[in-house]
Amino acid sequence: MKRTVTPKATPLSWDPEALYLKAQRYVQHMSALDSDDWEYALWSGFSLEFLARAALANVSPALLAETDKNWTSLYHALGFTPTEEKFAPKSIAVSEVFKRLTAILPDFTKEHEGFGILHTGRRNAELHTGELAFDGIKASVWQPRFYQTCEILLSSIGTTLEDFFGEDEAKVARELIDAAADESAKAVKGEVEAHKKVWLAKGEQERLKLSAQASVWATRQAGHRVYCPACASQALVVGGPVSAPVQRLSDGEITETQEYLPNRFECIACGLKILGLSRLTVVGLGDRYKKTQVYDAAEYYAPNDDYAGYEEDNNEP
């Protein structure tokens, strides 16, 4: 049969490559922010939507077209030019995108669909309502599932976390994914409850004395101060750097900040110790933290000088 009607190239609005590049553009903007910033979460929501649309368009751009009212958006997605007056292409809602991906991609489960709808729903609430949708939500609550969802979508279009986020952030993403998947880590809840029981069995005066000692200890030791999940005393988490240090010059001083991912916890009040990111994540202590050091600018840039930082601060909000 002779073909007399030939479609043009897929329009950018439905093109998987264009959608992917837009998602990556949002990730680059996200990466310039602190990982515990609400704006970081907001931009991650933008990125996730366009990555999901890219994955669905990679199956077929026609799957993104809104077809409830008429067929012109589908016709346009296939590379044709509709003759309808005032035509504007309409795509399906992002919730429908996630629903279709669940049916198409073998590794994209109902849990990923639910997370995608929840995360992009918070983004909509942030943009269209008076609600502060991302405030108060710890990064450790959403980032592991975010990176896991992205990894599956990226795999479906032949790319990787490293391609999308860069080597450093991809390494963090894999650590968070692995930590969240470690079912054995949940045993730490029993250890916390055991320490809590012993703690409550102590007299009030002894608990106050131990908490006061822990507060002084946590202030003087190097690490990020947190509250113990067993006794609520001040305690410390320590970890390793996961980003390059960033310097800011202000009033003759250099302020250097760097993000760390925790891997160890200690409370000297009740004696609780936790080792490993997966176990820390289970008890809500797996969030990245910032280490801040301040230097005199002249000493910082002085050649061959063993400059010494002022007292470091691991507790910048």
Side-chain angles (χ1 to χ4, degrees):
M1 181 181 294
K2 182 180 179 181
R3 187 168 187 172
T4 58
V5 180
T6 303
K8 298 178 182 177
T10 302
L12 286 180
S13 51
W14 317 98
D15 181 67
E17 182 73 18
L19 291 164
Y20 172 83
L21 291 175
K22 197 168 185 180
Q24 197 169 42
R25 182 181 187 180
Y26 290 150
V27 156
Q28 290 169 353
H29 191 85
M30 179 182 97
S31 300
L33 302 165
D34 292 334
S35 63
D36 58 352
D37 195 314
W38 67 270
E39 289 182 87
Y40 183 95
L42 175 64
W43 285 101
S44 75
F46 287 125
S47 178
L48 180 60
E49 172 170 348
F50 282 92
L51 183 58
R53 290 186 182 278
L56 190 58
N58 193 49
V59 179
S60 173
L63 288 168
L64 285 177
E66 172 63 77
T67 57
D68 286 350
K69 296 180 180 178
N70 56 48
W71 54 277
T72 49
S73 289
L74 173 60
Y75 190 54
H76 184 255
L78 292 171
F80 296 100
T81 304
T83 56
E84 180 181 280
E85 292 182 358
K86 300 180 181 178
F87 169 76
K90 293 183 175 61
S91 58
I92 57 175
V94 67
S95 58
E96 182 63 22
V97 171
F98 288 120
K99 182 179 178 181
R100 295 185 183 188
L101 287 169
T102 306
I104 294 171
L105 303 180
D107 295 332
F108 199 84
T109 66
K110 280 286 184 183
E111 285 74 23
H112 302 120
E113 176 189 346
F115 171 77
I117 293 173
L118 175 65
H119 201 59
T120 54
R122 284 178 178 148
R123 181 212 60 190
N124 288 340
E126 180 69 36
L127 294 178
H128 303 300
T129 74
E131 182 182 351
L132 302 176
F134 289 108
D135 283 30
I137 300 176
K138 298 181 71 171
S140 57
V141 171
W142 65 269
Q143 286 186 3
R145 182 67 80 184
F146 169 73
Y147 288 119
Q148 186 186 52
T149 304
C150 288
E151 185 172 38
I152 295 170
L153 296 174
L154 290 166
S155 177
S156 76
I157 57 180
T159 58
T160 64
L161 290 172
E162 287 75 10
D163 295 330
F164 194 60
F165 292 104
E167 294 287 340
D168 291 342
E169 187 62 18
K171 184 179 178 181
V172 176
R174 292 198 186 285
E175 288 191 55
L176 294 175
I177 292 171
D178 292 344
D182 184 4
E183 289 294 322
S184 66
K186 294 180 180 176
V188 73
K189 290 183 178 178
E191 296 175 28
V192 171
E193 286 303 313
H195 278 77
K196 184 183 293 184
K197 187 175 181 180
V198 172
W199 175 258
L200 293 176
K202 298 179 184 296
E204 182 178 0
Q205 291 303 316
E206 184 179 4
R207 292 202 303 268
L208 290 172
K209 178 183 176 182
L210 290 171
S211 284
Q213 291 174 345
S215 179
V216 173
W217 173 82
T219 301
R220 292 178 174 173
Q221 300 294 318
H224 178 63
R225 285 191 293 278
V226 295
Y227 288 101
C228 176
C231 69
S233 301
Q234 284 204 343
L236 291 178
V237 292
V238 296
V242 294
S243 69
V246 176
Q247 295 86 23
R248 293 194 305 271
L249 174 62
S250 178
D251 297 329
E253 290 185 331
I254 300 290
T255 301
E256 183 176 270
T257 58
Q258 189 171 21
E259 281 198 328
Y260 280 63
L261 195 62
N263 54 37
R264 185 160 52 89
F265 164 88
E266 181 175 3
C267 172
I268 68 163
C270 69
L272 178 64
K273 295 181 180 179
I274 302 174
L275 187 63
L277 177 62
S278 58
R279 290 158 58 85
L280 291 172
T281 300
V282 169
V283 295
L285 297 174
D287 288 286
R288 284 180 262 194
Y289 65 90
K290 278 188 293 185
K291 178 179 176 180
T292 302
Q293 296 189 84
V294 180
Y295 303 94
D296 180 88
E299 292 180 347
Y300 189 91
Y301 290 111
N304 302 319
D305 185 18
D306 296 328
Y307 58 82
Y310 298 159
E311 185 172 346
E312 67 181 50
D313 179 3
N314 292 271
N315 297 281
E316 183 177 322

